[in-house]
Amino acid sequence: MSTQVYRTELRSEQSYVAKLYEQLDAERARVKSRYGEALRRTDGVRDGETLVARDVEVRTLTKEARRLDVADNCLCFGRLDAVSGERLYIGRIGLFDEEREFEPLLLDWRAPAARPFYVATAVRPENMHRRRQFHTRGREVVDFTDEILGRPDGFESDERGDSALLAAINAPRGEGMRDIVATIQAEQDEIIRLDHSGVLVIEGGPGTGKTVVALHRVAYLLYTHREQMERHGVLVVGPNPAFINHISHVLPSLGETNVVFMTPGDFLPGLHVTAEDAPEVAGLKGSLQILDVLAAAVADYQRLPDQPIPITLAGVALRIDADIAEWARDEARASGLPHNEARSVFREIVTYVLTDRAIGRIGRGWLNRQDREAWEEMRASLLEELAGDDAFTAALDTLWPILTPETVLAEPFSSPGRLRLAGADGALFRENSAAWTISDVPLLDELVDLLGTDKRVDDAAARERQAATEYASAVLDSLVSRKDHMEDDGLRLFADELLDAEDLAERFVERDTRELAERAAADRDWTYRHVVVDEAQELSEMDWRVLMRRCPSRSFTVVGDLAQRRSAAGATAWDAILEPYVPGRWIYRSLSMNYRTPAEIMSVAAALLAEFAPGVEPPESVRSCGVQPWSKHVTDTEMPTAVEKFMKVESAREGTSVVIGPPEVPGAVPASHTKGLEFDAVLVVEPERILAEGPRGAAELYVALTRATQRLGVLHTGPLPRALSGLVETT
């Protein structure tokens, strides 16, 4: 393409993109106007139902405004020229020409017609002749790259078809993960658009883009199945808060907000995790064998009295002995109800026996069971007396107490004796019973279901609703009295013919105006339509039970790399984790190209991988950076200065950097805190000590070595691990 033709084409593309932005601005102005009108609307908005309808309209317009706002950045990033001559422009959202019967001006990248932009090749052109990729700055098209499809060489001689991808992966890293909507590769696109309603496992080594592919898959699913997915939202689970912060911008940048981000420590709203278990303890708590321990811990609270408990009823001295309590306990357990809900069964049996014995004594000589009406009338009176008897309530609380998950988990774990009674390993003992760990969270969540709700709370809520309904009924009766209008023509509509008392009471219930994501995050019982699990190899069997409860449809995107597993309770094989829940409903896909780590650094990491996971193939890097990773031997006294020098040099450069190493090194973070993250420059300190941190030390070091996108350095005071012998030693 000659320079003159190129410039003419560039002006033409800039003109078209400018028209797209004009359309975007016009749509944004229309939405803003409708939003303001909805907020100002008061005519006819006098009852709860109409208010709700207006709130729904306002929320819908708010979402549409957000969708249009995120499109400002890189609105249009490419063009497809079909063999037929048709031109299709591809961008973040879809835009239509309303004056021409909604002719598409810009195709949403998720639309089926946009797929060739990502998958067409010279060999398989997908009926396309040309793929053009734009390079934009703000609203200006500054450059474009053409790729001619359906011919052996693939590219025009003076253009580089991979320039957009290389520019993206070579760019300095910022605060968070960026979307790849303009540079999705064919192997990634296949996974993103995969039509599978069960569990999809995406495995890939460091830098293969598995996380960002999973997030774009969520955006694609929300686009293609919006009605089903938006009602319940999507849950994204990551390993730690830093990772969540790193990825949390991707979906909003694609216009999707009905997404909840959590770590495994956030599964129970309101719980504050303050400690970390030793690997052995985390392994015990993460195993399904802990279920027996939890069941035994709950059963330990379902007690028989050591001595009969005296109860006085209608002046008659009675007692709750072991036989009565055992019968009641057996019936309560046999009910299959959770512990707190089964208390009503336990209570029913005990009260039946006590009232029966009291009636027998009170009515001796004049009342027998054949006089059923009198017998039951007396029982009702005695039941009312028992309900207000403090001694009886105290006895129930002793024999079958109302429990909370925190109580059940804290008390046994802080008592060696109770641990033994529960059949638990003594390693689970801890001094501070209220210092919750991440490994405790799935156990507490399990106990929520084992214990159930407190019936007294449910009864109080029911009484409150009943009171509201009775009040509303009185209000209706006072609005129009039929007695005052018996003589009219019979055409009058009365208030209770338009709505009943229950409807009226409902109108005055406080509405929850929070966004879906906020409501879902605060509700332990919320169920999601789809769940993304990142760094999934770290989740325990108990963690998976929590997630399966959160997603009854079993629709998951699971992302991980078994070679990077560090948790003693984590997964060793995907089928062992998934088959019990979704037999035959999960599929596996892998990513093989490394878009993050340059070849110079990956060769070092691959040498380590070959030592601790010889059967695992390292991902192939798509680029070189021209900078060799280095190592330097320093003394203990020289170490702080060397670290400070690295940080000073990198702070003067554009991009991000991190020091990974032992906690005593100033400014260093452990490798586990950097999982899933990426930095322009990484300094690994004392790699031999990372290797020595137990059986997963090699995986930790592998993670540390593969975080860098440009530069990698290693400082060591001891011998350099054999796998790192390929590093260039500096002085």
Side-chain angles (χ1 to χ4, degrees), residues 677-727:
L677 307 183
E678 55 184 30
F679 306 88
D680 292 275
V682 172
L683 179 66
V684 178
V685 179
E686 304 287 27
E688 67 279 9
R689 289 179 57 183
I690 297 176
L691 274 176
E693 291 179 358
R696 301 310 302 173
E700 288 274 83
L701 183 55
Y702 183 59
V703 169
L705 294 174
T706 54
R707 298 306 96 193
T709 65
Q710 302 291 344
R711 299 174 294 282
L712 172 68
V714 174
L715 294 176
H716 57 106
T717 58
L720 195 66
R722 181 180 58 185
L724 305 188
S725 59
L727 291 170

Side-chain angles (χ1 to χ4, degrees), residues 317-511:
L318 304 167
R319 63 182 192 175
I320 303 174
D321 55 28
D323 288 343
I324 297 174
E326 185 174 21
W327 178 24
R329 185 181 67 178
D330 290 347
E331 291 293 327
R333 288 177 175 175
S335 71
L337 295 171
H339 171 88
N340 289 337
E341 296 169 31
R343 174 179 161 118
S344 62
V345 179
F346 183 89
R347 178 190 180 110
E348 182 180 348
I349 298 298
V350 173
T351 54
Y352 173 82
V353 175
L354 292 179
T355 55
D356 218 46
R357 290 180 179 179
I359 294 170
R361 295 185 190 179
I362 295 169
R364 184 176 297 160
W366 62 271
L367 181 62
N368 56 53
R369 292 185 181 275
Q370 280 68 40
D371 191 352
R372 188 172 184 82
E373 185 175 347
W375 191 283
E376 293 303 324
E377 186 176 332
M378 183 173 291
R379 189 193 299 279
S381 176
L382 295 176
L383 286 174
E384 187 175 347
E385 182 179 340
L386 268 182
D389 190 302
D390 292 339
F392 178 66
T393 301
L396 287 178
D397 290 340
T398 299
L399 302 177
W400 199 285
I402 294 293
L403 298 173
T404 66
E406 291 81 1
T407 298
V408 174
L409 199 60
E411 291 187 3
F413 281 22
S414 60
S415 168
R418 297 190 72 173
L419 277 177
R420 284 194 298 272
L421 287 173
D425 193 301
L428 293 173
F429 172 77
R430 63 186 183 199
E431 295 286 348
N432 186 355
S433 61
W436 303 117
T437 67
I438 291 179
S439 305
D440 288 329
V441 176
L443 277 60
L444 291 166
D445 191 77
E446 191 77 34
L447 284 166
V448 172
D449 283 353
L450 283 175
L451 298 177
T453 59
D454 183 350
K455 190 173 184 300
R456 296 172 299 183
V457 175
D458 292 342
D459 289 345
R463 288 194 296 271
E464 187 175 335
R465 287 194 299 271
Q466 179 62 28
T469 301
E470 290 174 357
Y471 174 77
S473 181
V475 170
L476 283 173
D477 287 343
S478 67
L479 289 177
V480 177
S481 170
R482 284 181 174 79
K483 184 178 179 182
D484 295 337
H485 299 279
M486 294 295 289
E487 302 300 326
D488 61 22
D489 56 12
L491 298 177
R492 181 183 296 275
L493 278 175
F494 293 91
D496 58 359
E497 292 175 314
L498 296 174
L499 73 168
D500 58 27
E502 212 167 283
D503 288 336
L504 182 58
E506 180 69 18
R507 299 288 177 90
F508 293 95
V509 172
E510 185 176 353
R511 303 287 176 183

Side-chain angles (χ1 to χ4, degrees), residues 185-208:
Q185 300 303 291
E187 70 167 357
Q188 297 172 330
D189 186 80
E190 179 187 354
I191 294 173
I192 289 170
R193 299 175 192 265
L194 197 60
D195 183 17
H196 179 68
S197 59
V199 176
L200 166 64
V201 175
I202 307 173
E203 185 162 28
T208 52

Side-chain angles (χ1 to χ4, degrees), residues 454-701:
D454 183 350
K455 190 173 184 300
R456 296 172 299 183
V457 175
D458 292 342
D459 289 345
R463 288 194 296 271
E464 187 175 335
R465 287 194 299 271
Q466 179 62 28
T469 301
E470 290 174 357
Y471 174 77
S473 181
V475 170
L476 283 173
D477 287 343
S478 67
L479 289 177
V480 177
S481 170
R482 284 181 174 79
K483 184 178 179 182
D484 295 337
H485 299 279
M486 294 295 289
E487 302 300 326
D488 61 22
D489 56 12
L491 298 177
R492 181 183 296 275
L493 278 175
F494 293 91
D496 58 359
E497 292 175 314
L498 296 174
L499 73 168
D500 58 27
E502 212 167 283
D503 288 336
L504 182 58
E506 180 69 18
R507 299 288 177 90
F508 293 95
V509 172
E510 185 176 353
R511 303 287 176 183
D512 190 341
T513 58
R514 294 174 297 174
E515 293 290 340
L516 180 143
E518 189 179 358
R519 286 184 284 127
D523 185 356
R524 181 261 173 189
D525 295 321
W526 191 277
T527 57
Y528 297 88
R529 185 64 183 83
H530 189 78
V531 175
V532 175
V533 187
D534 209 329
E535 298 294 344
Q537 73 278 355
E538 305 296 345
L539 268 62
S540 70
E541 292 176 307
M542 290 298 293
D543 287 323
W544 281 105
R545 283 179 64 85
V546 176
L547 292 175
M548 292 299 169
R549 283 192 286 269
R550 300 296 192 273
C551 188
S553 66
R554 303 290 194 263
S555 177
F556 283 77
T557 298
V558 175
V559 181
D561 180 10
L562 295 178
Q564 296 186 57
R565 179 179 68 90
R566 63 178 293 273
S567 170
T572 56
W574 300 119
D575 57 349
I577 288 292
L578 298 173
E579 275 295 322
Y581 299 106
V582 284
R585 283 191 60 229
W586 69 279
I587 58 175
Y588 176 89
R589 294 292 185 271
S590 63
L591 293 168
S592 58
M593 302 304 296
N594 189 329
Y595 301 99
R596 175 207 299 148
T597 317
E600 295 88 344
I601 296 175
M602 197 60 219
S603 65
V604 176
L608 176 65
L609 182 66
E611 286 193 358
F612 78 92
V616 178
E617 284 291 325
E620 180 183 353
S621 297
V622 301
R623 67 187 175 103
S624 298
C625 64
V627 180
Q628 290 296 324
W630 55 267
S631 67
K632 183 176 183 179
H633 183 273
V634 296
T635 64
D636 289 335
T637 56
E638 292 172 335
M639 179 66 78
T641 302
V643 172
E644 185 178 351
K645 180 181 178 182
F646 168 84
M647 296 172 67
K648 183 176 181 180
V649 169
E650 290 301 332
S651 66
R653 289 172 164 157
E654 187 180 5
T656 60
S657 61
V658 69
V659 177
I660 301 175
E664 60 269 21
V665 176
V669 298
S672 59
H673 289 190
T674 65
K675 295 202 75 170
L677 307 183
E678 55 184 30
F679 306 88
D680 292 275
V682 172
L683 179 66
V684 178
V685 179
E686 304 287 27
E688 67 279 9
R689 289 179 57 183
I690 297 176
L691 274 176
E693 291 179 358
R696 301 310 302 173
E700 288 274 83
L701 183 55

